[in-house]
Amino acid sequence: VDELPVPQHILISNITCDSFKISWDMDSRGQDRITHYFIDLNKKEDKSSNKFKHMDVPTKLVARVVPLPMTVRGHWFLSPRTEYTVAVQTATKQHDGEYAVSAWSEIVEFCTADYSTIQLRQLLQKAEAIAGRMLPFTVFYRNQQKEYFQPNRSCCRMLPSVKDNSGSHGSPISGKLEGIFFSCNTEFNTGQPPKDSPYGPYRFQIQADLLFNQNTNIYFGDFYCMYTSYHYVIVVLAPNGSKGDIFCKGKLPALDRFNNSFLSCIEEEDGSLSFRHAQDVILEVIYTESVELSLGMVSQISGHQLMSLSTLNAKKDPSCKICNISVGR
């Protein structure tokens, strides 16, 4: 309809993992006739590949006229860390119930944000509910192929690398936080690390107090599963004031190192430290600094390399009611 102004200069602001604000400019001519806004929102990667959507019938969000900027919110159509395209029409509802509409605005692109600490605390509460009782342990361990631990590696130490994209799609540590993955879970009947591993037949073990002590901050990073009954909790260990610690502050919920549901460090009367891990979840521990190989020992495990249990770039089960919250995936 010629009399309806076309939105121009679309501006997207205040972007979160499941909402954004949108505003635009438009000619004053015909504004008094506008009753609704139509917003065409599409995932960028899906727009050309959706074979079941007629190209001339875009998926629209219909909103009554409100002052701009207008908030668009909804976890059922917005996912975290996802690229979208958006365009806007103005419309007037006619007496017969049909809409007269303007031409579409230009198309703009934006990307939703990671989970904030609000969503991560919701995940944290869900993880705490199933963590189970705490069991003692004494070492952190890391499995790899034999070549990884060869003495001629750079400076004879393990170096941090960027975390992969496993776990929750909105996790702020995926693809950003640098660290070294360790495990600490023990077998219930022996109290020792398991004989098998998904990651390699050689294992580096280090006394727990060398990585986790009074100078280490601990953060909750993620909670997820991979279409199995096993659930994984990621915690981050960062020496106080380190680069990793600075990254985590404000992005991840901090945990009490002496009293939390997943990984605790307790100072005994004699000044020594004892350690506990949650029994009913598999802990993935990210240590944010390099680790000298000379601080631990490397040996070959007696079990098997169970590749099927690897979480490398594993995708979270979006249908699990235990580890999902009502915000994207």
Side-chain angles (χ1 to χ4, degrees):
V1 175
D2 292 340
E3 292 81 1
L4 290 177
V6 178
Q8 299 176 337
H9 309 124
I10 306 298
L11 177 64
I12 306 294
S13 61
N14 297 82
I15 300 171
T16 72
C17 64
D18 67 344
S19 69
F20 61 92
K21 287 188 175 182
I22 184 170
S23 61
W24 55 83
D25 299 329
M26 54 186 170
D27 196 311
S28 60
R29 179 175 56 88
Q31 278 196 33
D32 58 331
R33 297 188 59 230
I34 299 173
T35 61
H36 291 78
Y37 301 134
F38 289 176
I39 300 174
D40 179 25
L41 183 69
N42 290 278
K43 283 187 179 181
K44 188 177 176 183
E45 62 271 24
D46 293 340
K47 189 165 187 181
S48 61
S49 60
N50 189 342
K51 299 176 181 177
F52 300 99
K53 181 177 125 180
H54 194 286
M55 295 299 291
D56 295 328
V57 186
T59 303
K60 297 190 188 78
L61 305 175
V62 180
R64 290 185 179 276
V65 169
V66 294
L68 299 178
M70 176 175 65
T71 298
V72 178
R73 182 187 306 277
H75 67 266
W76 56 93
F77 56 80
L78 283 173
S79 296
R81 201 185 280 199
T82 303
E83 292 184 330
Y84 290 91
T85 62
V86 64
V88 185
Q89 283 178 313
T90 58
T92 181
K93 192 169 186 178
Q94 303 177 127
H95 296 299
D96 59 3
E98 296 296 322
Y99 290 94
V101 297
S102 71
W104 284 104
S105 70
E106 77 273 22
I107 296 174
V108 297
E109 300 177 0
F110 71 99
C111 185
T112 48
D114 298 333
Y115 284 163
S116 71
T117 53
I118 295 174
Q119 287 82 38
L120 287 173
R121 289 192 184 282
Q122 293 174 9
L123 274 180
L124 169 60
Q125 291 173 359
K126 280 181 163 280
E128 288 173 336
I130 71 158
R133 69 189 182 105
M134 303 291 280
L135 299 178
F137 76 99
T138 59
V139 297
F140 290 108
Y141 56 92
R142 174 176 173 82
N143 278 67
Q144 282 288 341
Q145 299 300 318
K146 183 177 182 179
E147 296 74 20
Y148 180 85
F149 300 114
Q150 291 301 310
N152 60 359
R153 288 190 80 245
S154 174
C155 302
C156 296
R157 61 182 177 175
M158 296 182 290
L159 300 175
S161 59
V162 176
K163 183 194 173 298
D164 65 9
N165 289 314
S166 60
S168 300
H169 188 57
S171 173
I173 62 177
S174 293
K176 296 181 180 179
L177 177 66
E178 294 185 357
I180 305 171
F181 262 104
F182 285 93
S183 300
C184 64
N185 287 81
T186 56
E187 292 184 325
F188 176 75
N189 56 340
T190 67
Q192 299 299 314
K195 297 178 179 179
D196 303 319
S197 171
Y199 303 109
Y202 284 82
R203 175 174 291 166
F204 172 81
Q205 289 192 173
I206 184 170
Q207 291 298 308
D209 62 341
L210 294 177
L211 302 186
F212 192 21
N213 51 58
Q214 296 94 328
N215 296 317
T216 312
N217 291 326
I218 179 171
Y219 299 90
F220 172 80
D222 201 3
F223 177 44
Y224 70 100
C225 71
M226 305 182 299
Y227 301 91
T228 69
S229 59
Y230 301 110
H231 276 85
Y232 297 81
V233 169
I234 297 177
V235 295
V236 181
L237 296 180
N240 188 36
S242 65
K243 179 181 176 182
D245 190 39
I246 294 171
F247 175 92
C248 293
K249 285 187 189 303
K251 292 185 178 71
L252 303 180
L255 301 176
D256 182 342
R257 72 173 68 89
F258 303 115
N259 183 25
N260 68 78
S261 300
F262 313 113
L263 184 68
S264 65
C265 165
I266 301 170
E267 187 170 356
E268 304 294 347
E269 291 184 359
D270 62 0
S272 64
L273 299 176
S274 62
F275 302 90
R276 303 285 188 274
H277 72 81
Q279 174 185 350
D280 294 339
V281 294
I282 300 175
L283 282 178
E284 296 184 314
V285 181
I286 301 179
Y287 186 73
T288 63
E289 305 305 304
S290 61
V291 176
E292 299 288 339
L293 288 171
S294 61
L295 294 176
M297 59 176 293
V298 178
S299 59
Q300 188 169 5
I301 60 175
S302 59
H304 301 89
Q305 184 175 351
L306 305 176
M307 297 296 292
S308 62
L309 295 180
S310 172
T311 61
L312 181 64
N313 286 312
K315 299 304 179 186
K316 181 173 182 176
D317 178 2
S319 64
C320 178
K321 291 182 170 59
I322 294 175
C323 63
N324 279 295
I325 57 177
S326 60
V327 180
R329 297 292 179 248

